[in-house]
Amino acid sequence: MPTPPDMTTDLAPGVLDTLQHQVAVFARRAEQTRLGGVGRIHNSMDRAAYLLLNRLDQEGPMGVKALAAGMGIDSSTVTRQVAPLVDTGLVKRTSHPEDGRAVVLQLSPRGKARLDEVRASRRQLMELCTEGWTEEERALFCTLLTRFNSALSDVHSALPQVPPAS
């Protein structure tokens, strides 16, 4: 269970300071490049778009509520983020097969091709960034980063939700 933010820990402050600083640097670098790949600016993709397209590709067509729940965000945010993806033809809106009133979001063939292009470019970037790492080091980094992301998600879920300022 995550430690609430107001409690102290036994870890040395120096390690935690280094960790929080490196996470901040990583977040900035990731946003600067949008992890778009090597030397191809058109292969960059907005983080929200990438995550939405990736989920639709991995899990198949789904409604806005299911997509929002799976991503841990609210339906209005998904609706806002999906709109430009529909406008550019990367996502298709279709009627639910059992309930024609419900909308189902689906990755279009153009969306799949674009996602594959971005993934390949990002894979190349990851290969370049971890050049000289062993496969074991890459796997360990993936394991630790996945664990960190899961813990961060758990902490975020446990925090009281503050309504947006009006």
Side-chain angles (χ1 to χ4, degrees), residues 50-133:
Y50 176 79
L51 292 172
L52 286 166
L53 294 177
N54 196 56
R55 184 160 292 270
L56 289 172
D57 184 45
Q58 290 181 346
E59 298 185 20
M62 66 181 73
V64 170
K65 286 183 181 179
L67 188 54
M71 296 183 70
I73 56 180
D74 62 64
S75 295
S76 64
T77 301
V78 168
T79 299
R80 205 170 41 255
Q81 292 174 347
V82 163
L85 301 176
V86 171
D87 292 344
T88 57
L90 300 178
V91 171
K92 297 188 307 185
R93 281 190 180 114
T94 59
S95 296
H96 191 284
E98 296 167 10
D99 180 1
R101 299 169 297 165
V103 173
V104 173
L105 301 170
Q106 180 177 359
L107 189 63
S108 70
R110 181 175 179 205
K112 175 68 172 146
R114 179 76 178 105
L115 182 60
D116 288 346
E117 179 181 42
V118 170
R119 281 179 178 155
S121 185
R122 287 180 176 196
R123 229 181 342 270
Q124 186 181 10
L125 178 62
M126 294 300 105
E127 184 177 7
L128 183 63
C129 289
T130 60
E131 191 173 37
W133 294 24

Side-chain angles (χ1 to χ4, degrees), residues 135-156:
E135 285 306 306
E136 292 79 18
E137 289 170 327
R138 286 177 174 161
L140 177 60
F141 184 69
C142 287
T143 298
L144 293 173
L145 190 56
T146 299
R147 186 173 164 192
F148 181 80
N149 280 330
S150 293
L152 197 55
S153 178
D154 291 346
V155 167
H156 178 71

